[in-house]
């Protein structure tokens, strides 16, 4: 058995070179025949030029050698000029009417008032306040005024009381209190003069709280060491001199004139309502 297999194998090996030669010759003959036919029927086949392919791809599918059409220039845009706006007319302005100039107070003025002397020794405050109220056409009794001022047997405390009573009984808010705590300065004297002119020129009398003594323009001597209230009812020479209505009625004198400077000194440590 083993001998037969070796013999068969030897035959196959011996025959193989011959068969391979025959196959190779056949393949060669077919190749030569095909080459002759290709050579006779067509020209040599040329490979594609890689650069041509690249150019074709770049020009978007156009054939090699053709020029790409130049892009058309955009048509110029024609803009029409906008119509100019008509010139605006400035609005007419109306000038506000000028305010009338404030009228200067008169150089002198004396109020109409009703004099009544104080009815007892401690009612100088109510009596002086009542005289001032009559210049506003009000004539309360001295007792009514005393109740508004809080006057007692010791008198009326200060100018704050007369200020409060004047505003209450005259139904106004015109009056303010001004105090001169010591010897009056020139500025305080000027302020008193201005306050007197302002009050009287507007129809309001001034109530002053004084202490000590003073001399009027006629040389009359007036002394109230314990303090006193009196009423300024007029002025002259632009307020440099004032007319005083004195409710004490000493020696039958109800009124007199005094310089504003002397009145300011007479009110030192006290005050006034104006």
């Amino acid at each position: 058995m083993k001998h037969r297999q070796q013999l068969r194998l030897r035959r196959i090996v011996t025959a193989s070179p011959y068969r391979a030669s025959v196959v190779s010759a056949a393949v060669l003959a077919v190749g030569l025949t095909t080459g002759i036919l290709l050579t006779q029927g067509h020209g040599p086949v040329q490979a594609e030029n890689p650069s041509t392919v690249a150019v074709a791809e770049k020009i978007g599918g156009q054939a090699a050698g053709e020029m790409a059409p130049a892009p058309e220039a955009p048509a110029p845009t024609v803009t029409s000029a906008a119509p100019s706006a008509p010139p605006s007319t400035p609005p007419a302005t109306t000038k506000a009417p000028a305010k009338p100039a404030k009228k200067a107070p008169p150089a002198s003025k004396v109020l109409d008032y009703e004099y009544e002397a104080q009815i007892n020794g401690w009612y100088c405050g109510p009596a002086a306040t009542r005289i001032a109220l009559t210049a506003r056409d009000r004539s309360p009794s001295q007792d009514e005024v005393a109740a508004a001022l809080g006057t007692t047997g010791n008198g009326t405390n200060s100018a704050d009381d007369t200020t409060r009573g004047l505003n209450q009984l005259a139904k106004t808010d015109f009056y303010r209190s001004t105090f001169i705590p010591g010897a009056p300065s020139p500025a305080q004297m000027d302020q008193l003069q201005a306050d007197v002119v302002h009050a009287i020129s507007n129809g309001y009398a001034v109530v002053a709280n004084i202490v000590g003594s003073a001399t009027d323009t006629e040389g009359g001597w007036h002394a109230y060491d314990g303090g006193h209230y009196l009423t300024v009812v007029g002025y002259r020479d632009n307020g440099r001199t004032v007319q005083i209505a004195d409710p004490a009625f000493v020696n039958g004198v109800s009124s007199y004139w005094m310089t504003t400077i002397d009145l300011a000194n007479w009110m030192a440590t006290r005050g006034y309502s104006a």
Side-chain angles (χ1 to χ4, degrees):
M1 185 68 180
K2 183 177 180 182
H3 179 73
R4 288 181 181 178
Q5 290 178 349
Q6 290 177 350
L7 181 59
R8 189 177 298 173
L9 181 60
R10 188 179 297 119
R11 287 178 181 175
I12 293 172
V13 171
T14 305
S16 294
Y18 174 76
R19 290 180 181 176
S21 299
V22 173
V23 172
S24 299
V27 171
L28 179 59
V30 173
L32 290 174
T33 305
T34 304
I36 293 169
L37 291 175
L38 290 174
T39 302
Q40 291 178 352
H42 301 280
V45 178
Q46 296 180 355
E48 290 182 343
N49 190 340
S51 62
T52 304
V53 175
V55 171
E57 291 177 354
K58 286 184 180 180
I59 62 176
Q62 294 181 352
E66 293 183 2
M67 296 295 293
E72 295 182 0
T77 303
V78 179
T79 57
S80 59
S84 58
S88 59
T89 304
T93 56
T94 56
K95 198 171 184 179
K99 292 183 179 180
K102 190 175 181 180
K103 188 177 180 180
S108 62
K109 183 175 181 177
V110 176
L111 297 173
D112 292 330
Y113 66 96
E114 178 186 306
Y115 179 83
E116 183 178 272
Q118 62 191 75
I119 59 178
N120 58 43
W122 59 90
Y123 262 24
C124 59
T129 300
R130 182 188 179 278
I131 292 172
L133 288 170
T134 63
R136 303 297 300 169
D137 295 326
R138 297 183 182 275
S139 302
S141 68
Q142 291 188 30
D143 287 334
E144 290 173 334
V145 178
L149 302 184
T151 303
T152 67
N154 295 322
T156 304
N157 287 333
S158 74
D160 277 340
D161 297 311
T162 56
T163 296
R164 182 187 66 253
L166 286 164
N167 284 330
Q168 175 185 334
L169 296 172
K171 300 186 184 305
T172 183
D173 60 355
F174 177 84
Y175 285 97
R176 298 287 184 273
S177 299
T178 302
F179 293 92
I180 303 175
S185 66
Q188 289 171 321
M189 295 176 185
D190 291 342
Q191 185 63 54
L192 172 61
Q193 178 180 335
D195 288 344
V196 167
V197 171
H198 174 69
I200 292 176
S201 63
N202 283 282
Y204 294 86
V206 176
V207 176
N209 183 18
I210 57 87
V211 64
S213 59
T215 303
D216 62 35
T217 56
E218 298 295 327
W221 180 257
H222 308 275
Y224 301 99
D225 293 337
H228 187 53
Y229 286 89
L230 41 80
T231 312
V232 179
V233 294
Y235 69 88
R236 64 189 181 197
D237 193 17
N238 295 304
R240 293 179 178 86
T241 307
V242 295
Q243 183 178 5
I244 294 172
D246 190 337
F249 199 57
V250 176
N251 299 323
V253 177
S254 61
S255 70
Y256 43 86
W257 289 86
M258 183 178 289
T259 66
T260 305
I261 292 174
D262 288 339
L263 178 59
N265 281 287
W266 209 9
M267 286 192 295
T269 72
R270 303 294 176 95
Y272 59 94
S273 303

